[in-house]
Amino acid sequence: MKTKALLRNKAFIIFYLVIIFVAPPVFIGLEIIPKTPITNLITLIGCTLGCLAIMTAEGWKWEDYDTKAKEGADMYYLTFTLYGIIFVIIMKEILSLKVNLEVLNRPYFLALFMPICFMQVLTYNVFLIKKLMIFTENRATIVFIRTLIFSGMHLIFSFEFFIICLFGGVGFTYVYLAHPNIKRMWFSHSTLNFTVALLGAFLPQ
């Protein structure tokens, strides 16, 4: 009971959100943590395990992970994903990015791509959005805070990726608030992330 009471304490929630979502990209950006693909992956896994530990301690049920979709969710996510691809292509021209097919020759990137996207959806959508809703029901505020955290994490890769994620973060958050579903968001997030990688905004070292 004491553990659950502590986890519901708003000051403690802010504390662990900073530890999980803010501290890692700051430490990587300041090179306190080396910026390498391995350390980036380990950091993401650590953040995911931290979220899962809190979810378990709070006694989350299967439905708390947003596994059920509302009516119309399929078309909603499909439309968002298609518009997102168009937006990324436009940003490619604006930011003068070059198509990068080299990612297709990187086995570890292809093998880890889907699991990494799932971890991002679990942490930045399912977990983070629910925690932000404890503090406010105002959607604009949730979109703003979640977008800053989400895009800030991607700043460690490239400035171009950060710019795209600023806009993408708004879209992802708004869509998830309207139709919370982990599987459909995983599909959309993976598709758009892969498009961004192919168009040169994000190149694993």
Side-chain angles (χ1 to χ4, degrees), residues 24 64 84 109 190:
D64 294 326
F109 174 74
S190 300

Side-chain angles (χ1 to χ4, degrees), residues 163-176:
I163 294 298
I164 292 175
C165 287
L166 274 177
F167 293 97
V170 173
F172 281 132
T173 311
Y174 180 81
V175 167
Y176 202 82

Side-chain angles (χ1 to χ4, degrees), residues 17-198:
L17 288 181
V18 170
I19 295 298
I20 292 173
F21 293 103
V22 179
V26 170
F27 289 162
I28 292 174
L30 294 175
E31 297 185 352
I32 296 174
I33 299 176
K35 189 171 74 171
T36 67
I38 295 300
T39 54
N40 290 345
L41 177 60
I42 292 173
T43 300
L44 177 59
I45 293 174
C47 293
T48 304
L49 291 176
C51 293
L52 286 172
I54 293 170
M55 292 170 172
T56 301
E58 290 180 340
W60 283 38
K61 299 178 181 178
W62 183 248
E63 55 267 24
D64 294 326
Y65 291 88
D66 297 328
T67 54
K68 295 182 180 180
K70 297 180 183 178
E71 184 178 352
D74 288 335
M75 184 56 64
Y76 202 88
Y77 274 95
L78 181 59
T79 302
F80 168 72
T81 304
L82 291 176
Y83 276 115
I85 292 173
I86 294 172
F87 168 76
V88 171
I89 292 173
I90 293 174
M91 290 301 294
K92 169 189 174 296
E93 299 301 322
I94 293 176
L95 297 173
S96 300
L97 301 174
K98 296 181 179 179
V99 173
N100 173 35
L101 298 181
E102 185 182 346
V103 294
L104 299 177
N105 296 320
R106 300 194 176 203
Y108 73 89
F109 174 74
L110 297 176
L112 295 174
F113 186 79
M114 293 298 288
I116 287 174
C117 286
F118 181 79
M119 285 188 283
Q120 290 179 333
V121 169
L122 179 66
T123 54
Y124 285 90
N125 289 90
V126 179
F127 182 79
L128 179 57
I129 289 178
K130 278 181 166 51
K131 293 306 173 183
L132 293 177
M133 291 175 71
I134 293 174
F135 295 91
T136 178
E137 294 182 0
N138 185 287
R139 289 196 174 194
T141 302
I142 293 173
V143 169
F144 177 74
I145 296 175
R146 191 267 182 189
T147 297
L148 283 182
I149 294 174
F150 175 75
S151 57
M153 182 271 290
H154 289 85
L155 185 58
I156 65 176
F157 296 105
S158 72
F159 179 72
E160 291 81 5
F161 203 9
F162 168 74
I163 294 298
I164 292 175
C165 287
L166 274 177
F167 293 97
V170 173
F172 281 132
T173 311
Y174 180 81
V175 167
Y176 202 82
L177 286 171
H179 284 274
N181 184 263
I182 188 171
K183 291 180 289 186
R184 286 158 181 79
M185 179 54 73
W186 184 22
F187 160 77
S188 182
H189 188 90
S190 300
T191 302
L192 292 175
N193 251 17
F194 198 74
T195 303
V196 169
L198 286 178

